[in-house]
Amino acid sequence: MTIEHGSAETGVDADEGYQRGLTARTVQMIAIGGAIGTGLFYGSGGAIEKAGPALVLAYALAGLAIFIVMRALGELLIYRPISGGISEYADEFLGRFAGFSQGWTYWAVWTTTCMAEITVAGKYINYWWPSVPVWLTALVALLVLSCANLISVGLFGKAEFWFSAIKVTAIVGMIVVGIGVLLPISGFGPETGPSVTNLWNDGGFFATGFSNALLSLQIVMFAYVGVELVGVTAGEAENPRVTLRKAINSVPFRIGIFYVGAIIVILSVRSWNDYQEGESPFVSVFSYIGIPGAAGIVNFILLTAALSSCNSGIYSTGRMLRSLAHTGDAPKQLTKLSSRKVPAAGIAVSAAVMVLGVVVNVLDPEHAFAYITAVSTVGIIVIWSTILLCQMAFRRKVARGDLPASDYRVPGAPVTTWLALAFLVMVFVLLFFDEDGRIALMVGAVWFTGVGIGYLAWTRNAGELADREV
């Protein structure tokens, strides 16, 4: 199957039927802001407490692995740019079960992430209006974002553009202010304390030990969740083969500035001992420098990050369900597009499942969400690993002459793809050495067992198991 760009008048994709309503500028901003979320703005406090200054190295190494994953995804997208790429590439290169399991797992990753994010958004609203129940805010946020996604892909793109712009502005602002504080001639901020020597003076670069630096990789990797979202835009991006290439090429810049750069500034302005789990390092930095209303500013940014994640989740889950329906791995009713060329049925089903997050929030958010979001923890490692395996399989078919070669290749492959895969396997193994990680592995085992049973039941009922490659 090949993707045609459709007519110039309609801008509708001739194969998938989507409206190509995402401009190059919008896709670029989604690429920049897609992986910037509460993991960096809030969760990095716990990562600093665990790893100390060595967190800089952890973000850099994880970033290199993610870049290879994204280039592998890019090579596949240039070969065949489709919205359900992750599951359809797995189906094509690894077999029917791989396509089924990866499609449903990616859907589950974003569905559970949204369940958590809408609750978090409710808690951030409580900062200004403590009398408003968290569950009510979560429900309103879900309904508003779902309606925006149902109206048009363009409205989703505009919302995500501005969400991403706010997050990017916050990080750039923090970096600029931090550098200003570190310059002795600026006269801005505390006279003593801020210095790049904080990266090694207080206990050394590996202040908490090399083993803790390794264990922090779990936290770091999941701060990058969402970076692959740009691949889901393939079916609705203008001129995808050009737009996606540019977006993926910007990955090293994004990682270098927004992750590694931000962490270096944060750890230079204050000693790593001054940060702790449960407190945003951005709040700590802004407050220490003396920025008025620091807590309120960062709370707004965190709210934006949560809404952005949920907005992206609704978008991606709707497309993934439609892709699964096209390959026969979900009810065929989910293949239908609305008059506005959006997968309304897939969005509605996904949003309905996400309402469970509101219910869980009412019943027992602290414990239930730890298990629900564990699917995301294990699932995203499996998804990223699958992308690498698909790229390797694609290269083998190219070498045999079965498929045309792509002019957009993973640099240094196959060595770099094997190294990235080994890195992901190492992070997976490290989960065994952490209590939360072990919970994630147990829940993940239950999920994939359920997926396997579901695959057998679905294919048997459809009468397709004997006719398909497994």
Side-chain angles (χ1 to χ4, degrees):
M1 179 175 65
T2 58
I3 300 298
E4 300 176 6
H5 289 199
S7 67
E9 288 87 6
T10 63
V12 175
D13 188 281
D15 186 26
E16 293 190 280
Y18 288 123
Q19 185 82 29
R20 292 200 176 276
L22 297 178
T23 65
R25 186 185 73 152
T26 299
V27 173
Q28 283 285 352
M29 187 57 78
I30 290 173
I32 291 172
I36 301 174
T38 52
L40 177 62
F41 286 119
Y42 188 78
S44 54
I48 292 172
E49 187 176 17
K50 179 184 285 288
L55 185 64
V56 174
L57 182 60
Y59 267 107
L61 289 175
L64 286 174
I66 291 299
F67 173 58
I68 298 302
V69 170
M70 288 302 296
R71 283 297 297 256
L73 178 59
E75 187 169 345
L76 295 169
L77 287 168
I78 298 304
Y79 152 66
R80 187 157 68 95
I82 45 177
S83 292
I86 294 172
S87 66
E88 294 201 30
Y89 297 140
D91 190 304
E92 179 178 355
F93 296 112
L94 304 179
R96 290 294 305 117
F97 176 68
F100 180 93
S101 64
Q102 297 312 295
W104 281 108
T105 297
Y106 193 62
W107 176 84
V109 165
W110 273 109
T111 301
T112 53
T113 298
C114 283
M115 287 184 186
E117 295 291 7
I118 57 175
T119 297
V120 170
K123 292 180 179 179
Y124 294 147
I125 290 292
N126 266 66
Y127 176 84
W128 295 290
W129 296 288
S131 61
V132 178
V134 172
W135 68 266
L136 179 60
T137 307
L139 182 60
V140 170
L142 178 61
L143 289 174
V144 170
L145 292 174
S146 297
C147 288
N149 272 269
L150 286 169
I151 291 172
S152 73
V153 66
L155 188 56
F156 155 78
K158 289 177 182 177
E160 197 56 33
F161 178 90
W162 289 109
F163 283 148
S164 296
I166 291 170
K167 293 185 290 184
V168 168
T169 301
I171 295 178
V172 172
M174 190 278 296
I175 291 175
V176 171
V177 171
I179 292 175
V181 170
L182 293 170
L183 293 175
I185 61 173
S186 68
F188 180 66
E191 294 183 2
T192 59
S195 171
V196 291
T197 60
N198 284 327
L199 291 170
W200 58 82
N201 273 355
D202 199 355
F205 188 71
F206 290 95
T208 63
F210 184 75
S211 60
N212 277 333
L214 275 179
L215 290 175
S216 72
L217 285 171
Q218 308 166 40
I219 306 172
V220 168
M221 288 301 289
F222 304 122
Y224 285 115
V225 172
V227 69
E228 77 294 328
L229 178 66
V230 68
V232 184
T233 68
E236 293 163 286
E238 294 179 353
N239 198 358
R241 288 181 172 86
V242 174
T243 301
L244 296 175
R245 189 190 303 255
K246 291 181 179 179
I248 291 171
N249 283 343
S250 70
V251 168
F253 170 79
R254 289 184 275 146
I255 290 172
I257 297 295
F258 301 125
Y259 284 92
V260 179
I263 295 298
I264 288 175
V265 171
I266 285 171
L267 291 171
S268 296
V269 171
R270 302 192 74 181
S271 169
W272 69 272
N273 278 319
D274 295 321
Y275 302 100
Q276 58 189 358
E277 186 175 5
E279 179 185 359
S280 168
F282 282 74
V283 171
S284 180
V285 167
F286 286 153
S287 299
Y288 181 64
I289 293 173
I291 302 295
I297 293 172
V298 176
N299 192 76
F300 173 72
I301 296 168
L302 289 169
L303 173 61
T304 298
L307 293 176
S308 173
S309 180
C310 188
N311 190 41
S312 298
I314 294 170
Y315 172 84
S316 60
T317 52
R319 275 72 185 169
M320 188 54 65
L321 282 182
R322 184 169 185 254
S323 175
L324 286 165
H326 267 304
T327 56
D329 293 331
K332 63 180 181 180
Q333 290 84 353
L334 296 176
T335 61
K336 296 178 181 178
L337 291 176
S338 71
S339 60
R340 295 178 179 271
K341 303 302 178 182
V342 298
I347 291 172
V349 170
S350 297
V353 175
M354 292 172 194
V355 171
L356 292 175
V358 179
V359 177
V360 169
N361 178 71
V362 174
L363 300 178
D364 188 7
E366 182 179 354
H367 297 94
F369 270 107
Y371 291 97
I372 291 175
T373 55
V375 175
S376 300
T377 302
V378 176
I380 199 62
I381 292 181
V382 174
I383 292 294
W384 288 338
S385 300
T386 299
I387 291 172
L388 293 172
L389 292 172
C390 287
Q391 185 270 344
M392 293 179 192
F394 169 70
R395 281 288 187 93
R396 287 194 293 271
K397 287 198 172 187
V398 169
R400 292 197 303 265
D402 297 336
L403 292 174
S406 171
D407 63 347
Y408 188 69
R409 302 180 181 182
V410 177
V415 174
T416 50
T417 44
W418 277 112
L419 287 175
L421 185 61
F423 183 86
L424 293 176
V425 171
M426 181 185 71
V427 175
F428 186 86
V429 171
L430 288 173
L431 291 172
F432 286 95
F433 298 91
D434 180 80
E435 183 178 352
D436 290 339
R438 287 191 290 271
I439 292 175
L441 288 171
M442 287 189 290
V443 175
V446 172
W447 167 256
F448 284 106
T449 299
V451 168
I453 295 172
Y455 173 75
L456 293 174
W458 179 263
T459 51
R460 183 180 294 115
N461 290 339
E464 300 173 348
L465 186 59
D467 302 323
R468 291 181 174 179
E469 295 180 7
V470 178

